Amino acid sequence: MPLVEHLRELRNRLAKGLLAIAAVTIVALVYSEDLMQFLTRSVPTCAPDVTSNGGNCAIVSFNTLMAPFSTTIQLSLTAGLVVASPVWLYQLWAFVAPGLHKNEKKYTYAFVGAAVPLFAAGAYLAYLILPISVKVLISLTPEGSANILSLGDVLDFTLRMVLVFGLAFELPLVLVMLNLTGVLTGRRMAGWWRGVIMGVFVFGAVITPTTDPVGMLALAGPITVLYFGAVGFSLLNDRRRKRADPDAELDDDEASSLDLTPEAVGAVEPVGAVRVLPEQATGEHGGVGTQRLNGYDDIT
């Protein structure tokens, strides 16, 4: 396909993806108020006749004149990107797929098929622990102080938690894909378990927006379980690969083992006479039946 055709196809794919995002964004604008209430449900808001005092509840508000407009646009665009992701991801895949081999397509299907449920599970877990994390943070407010939270900050906090948990749940899948492509072995991953557990808990403490141990444990615990699941899968895959090819785990500069056991020599087979050229068959003086010429087997 010429370069112009590739560019034209890319333009059409991008246009379809952008139209899908724009359509969902318009629908999200209509229901923006419902979306805001859904995402701010984790905040223990105060009753209309109750003033926030201490760490009991919080008042969600807009702090600037442009905050309602900018927050609504940001929320609608985010909803458009997320909800329309099957459409624009398919357009991206349809543009790239013709250049992939059969095994590359197989790995891609497997990766996407496992990545979507893992990300959804991480996002759902983040949404479940959000009320606990918010209550822990609000409880630190001293008496006599009011909790007046910006709605934009609350939405940013919620989306950040969802993205962090969703992407963190993809780590075991990356390890499995590295094992399937032969980059990492299950034995090597199993030898890293102490460092990995330590790193996961440190990662959970640093990357989660909350400062409470609930978010860290909620993130580090499932990732640790998924990590050991990835190690178990990799060990089984390495065993299967070794049965199919005993030299599969050797490095490029490592010699394979050779079987140097001598084998028995079989019976001697008779060898037929070698066919001669017509010039050799005529002999030196043209006589028939002579196999040599000037004392040599070959006329040359």
Side-chain angles (χ1 to χ4, degrees), residues 262-273:
E263 298 181 357
V265 180
V268 179
E269 298 179 359
V271 180

Side-chain angles (χ1 to χ4, degrees), residues 45-192:
T45 56
C46 300
D49 56 343
V50 176
T51 303
S52 175
N53 185 12
N56 298 324
C57 59
I59 298 175
V60 180
S61 64
F62 292 105
N63 297 332
T64 61
L65 180 62
M66 292 296 296
F69 175 78
S70 60
T71 303
T72 302
I73 295 298
Q74 178 184 359
L75 179 61
S76 301
L77 285 175
T78 304
L81 285 173
V82 174
V83 177
S85 58
V87 177
W88 58 265
L89 284 177
Y90 170 76
Q91 298 299 327
L92 178 62
W93 168 252
F95 179 74
V96 177
L100 299 178
H101 296 289
K102 185 177 181 180
N103 59 338
E104 294 173 342
K105 291 182 180 180
K106 180 180 67 174
Y107 285 140
T108 304
Y109 287 137
F111 183 85
V112 174
V116 173
L118 285 175
F119 185 88
Y124 181 70
L125 179 61
Y127 188 77
L128 287 181
I129 69 167
L130 266 173
I132 303 175
S133 300
V134 172
K135 287 181 180 179
V136 171
L137 294 176
I138 291 180
S139 64
L140 301 177
T141 304
E143 292 291 335
S145 300
N147 287 307
I148 302 177
L149 306 179
S150 171
L151 182 59
D153 293 339
V154 174
L155 295 178
D156 289 341
F157 176 80
T158 303
L159 294 176
R160 199 187 317 168
M161 285 282 290
V162 169
L163 289 177
V164 166
F165 274 69
L167 293 177
F169 269 53
E170 306 292 340
L171 175 62
L173 179 61
V174 174
L175 295 177
V176 169
M177 295 303 296
L178 290 176
N179 177 261
L180 291 176
T181 54
V183 178
L184 278 179
T185 61
R187 184 180 301 176
R188 181 174 298 179
M189 285 190 289
W192 294 345

Side-chain angles (χ1 to χ4, degrees), residues 12 16 21 34 36 53 104-105 129-130 137 169 172 185 200 211 217 246 257 266-267 269 290:
N12 295 334
K16 293 178 182 178
I21 294 174
D34 296 332
M36 290 180 185
N53 185 12
E104 294 173 342
K105 291 182 180 180
I129 69 167
L130 266 173
L137 294 176
F169 269 53
T185 61
V200 165
T211 57
L217 294 176
S257 58
E269 298 179 359
T290 304

